[in-house]
Amino acid sequence: MAHTWDPDRYLTYADERGRPFLDLLARVGADRPRSVVDLGCGPGNLTSLLADRWPEADVVGLDSSPEMIAAATGSAGSGRVRFEVADLREWESAEPVDVLVSNATLQWVPGHLDLLPRLAAQVAPGGWLAFQVPGNVGEPSHTIRAELAAEPAYAAHTAGVAVPSSHDPAVYLDALAGLGCTVDAWETTYLHVLTGPDPVFTWVSGTGARPTLQALPDDLRPAFEQEFKGRLAEAYPERGYGVVLPFRRVFMVAQVAA
């Protein structure tokens, strides 16, 4: 079953999800690029920041989800950015771009390490390729979902669903340096303080757990969600001031050889 994305659900924690994008963008040294592309732009709220940073550039946001592109096209400030439905695995730019950004997207593409040479080839000499991926697949927010989905009641429905996957910074660094890029690589663990009922479930149900939840039939999903919420609440307890969600992210900023 192909999953779909819900822009409203995704934007529940827009500030927390947006901070890594800003940290990534801060390390891109482009001065006055003519063309900027955001691969996997989602609902477009962050793509507009690229137009703020480089107001003279032609900025394009691409995403494989029609739902996300519809939300992006209808968002405030969308007049400064073009949005199009496109699959980054097949996308090719008609002309080399000066800045190519991908924020929290490549983890959904199996074997995305093999895509890096083609993505770097889309960038003009001296241009910039920058991306950020979650590096927290070993955390309870992911392992609990995987363990529960593998139980007999659910396994037949959840087998083969899309799950995020990424590599350590050194792996990406080696791959991009091998392409002749000058690479700035790092990782950061954010401690997000979340509030509201079942906040970690709300977070993951908009991203990493969404394909699993959508794969379940209507008669099984409520029980799965109830058990999932309970296990997450044990792994991420309420601390009086909120629920702390540690979230490791991996960053790459590569300048293509001139």
Side-chain angles (χ1 to χ4, degrees):
M1 174 182 175
H3 64 277
T4 60
W5 296 108
D6 182 342
D8 292 332
R9 187 73 162 186
Y10 181 82
L11 289 170
T12 300
Y13 293 109
D15 288 345
E16 289 84 356
R17 296 191 196 281
R19 183 176 171 187
F21 183 87
L22 295 174
D23 291 345
L24 178 71
L25 197 60
R27 299 295 296 168
V28 177
D31 184 15
R32 299 179 65 181
R34 295 171 299 173
S35 57
V36 178
V37 174
D38 184 4
L39 283 180
C41 65
N45 58 308
L46 299 177
T47 312
S48 64
L49 300 179
L50 299 174
D52 293 339
R53 168 80 179 270
W54 296 295
E56 298 178 5
D58 175 48
V59 180
V60 181
L62 305 174
D63 202 284
S64 62
S65 166
E67 295 83 6
M68 287 295 197
I69 291 298
T73 302
S75 65
S78 62
R80 298 176 301 141
V81 183
R82 291 186 289 116
F83 292 102
E84 301 173 5
V85 175
D87 188 326
L88 67 82
R89 295 170 297 182
E90 303 170 355
W91 169 78
E92 291 187 7
S93 177
E95 299 289 340
V97 301
D98 297 314
V99 178
L100 181 57
V101 177
S102 184
N103 183 63
T105 298
L106 289 176
Q107 74 275 8
W108 289 108
V109 182
H112 64 260
L113 200 65
D114 295 333
L115 285 178
L116 295 184
R118 191 174 65 79
L119 293 180
Q122 308 297 313
V123 179
W128 300 79
L129 169 63
F131 63 88
Q132 173 276 123
V133 290
N136 65 334
V137 295
E139 292 296 315
S141 56
H142 287 272
T143 59
I144 290 172
R145 176 207 53 77
E147 292 165 359
L148 186 56
E151 292 186 359
Y154 309 116
H157 303 286
T158 60
V161 298
V163 292
S165 179
S166 62
H167 302 280
D168 287 336
V171 176
Y172 294 116
L173 170 61
D174 188 61
L176 291 168
L179 297 174
C181 299
T182 301
V183 186
D184 184 4
W186 73 98
E187 63 178 75
T188 298
T189 297
Y190 299 89
L191 298 180
H192 298 304
V193 179
L194 309 180
T195 58
D198 301 304
V200 178
F201 175 81
T202 299
W203 181 294
V204 300
S205 64
T207 51
R210 185 170 176 81
T212 298
L213 295 172
Q214 284 195 314
L216 293 168
D218 293 342
D219 61 329
L220 290 180
R221 191 178 302 112
F224 184 98
E225 290 186 353
Q226 182 177 3
E227 181 64 22
F228 194 17
K229 290 176 181 178
R231 296 187 191 185
L232 287 173
E234 290 183 5
Y236 302 95
E238 166 63 46
R239 298 179 180 273
Y241 53 83
V243 173
V244 178
L245 174 65
F247 204 119
R248 174 178 177 252
R249 294 186 183 268
V250 173
F251 298 82
M252 293 290 131
V253 175
Q255 186 172 25
V256 174

